[in-house]
Amino acid sequence: MSSREQRDYFSILKRYERQFESDELNDYKMLIKRHKDDEDLDKLSMQRLKKLYDKYHVNRVRKNFDQFFKTPQTDSEDQSS
């Protein structure tokens, strides 16, 4: 796991820190300390970090509202084409 991905996970999870349960918060703080010491996380620690990420960071699909902003086509426009 690269340090860049690790940094990205921490920056995203920082927003959700208030929502963590007590044991998750303890794990997260421990992982943050290791990250601040410029340590690469081992496999198990990275799994815990990803688990937190998957639980709290929900990527919602953006809805497409283009259909509401298009001008309606009339029959005369369709016939001339």
Side-chain angles (χ1 to χ4, degrees), residues 6-78:
Q6 182 176 323
R7 185 187 67 225
D8 292 341
Y9 281 127
F10 281 116
S11 66
I12 291 170
L13 284 173
K14 191 173 191 174
R15 302 178 213 154
Y16 306 105
E17 195 172 350
R18 291 177 275 124
Q19 299 173 3
F20 292 162
E21 297 172 6
S22 62
D23 56 336
E24 292 172 341
L25 185 61
N26 290 335
D27 282 346
Y28 178 73
K29 285 183 179 182
M30 185 262 315
L31 294 171
I32 284 285
K33 287 178 185 178
R34 290 179 60 189
H35 178 67
K36 286 182 179 178
D37 291 340
D38 289 330
E39 240 181 274
D40 286 336
L41 299 178
D42 59 347
K43 186 177 179 180
L44 293 175
S45 300
M46 201 61 200
Q47 285 177 349
R48 286 191 291 185
L49 186 64
K50 285 181 182 181
K51 184 179 169 185
L52 285 173
Y53 175 82
D54 292 338
K55 182 176 179 180
Y56 289 101
H57 185 70
V58 179
N59 284 326
R60 294 187 173 93
V61 177
R62 292 185 177 184
K63 295 183 179 179
N64 188 359
F65 294 112
D66 289 342
Q67 62 190 3
F68 298 113
F69 297 106
K70 289 183 181 177
T71 57
Q73 293 182 351
T74 60
D75 290 336
S76 61
E77 289 178 356
D78 289 339

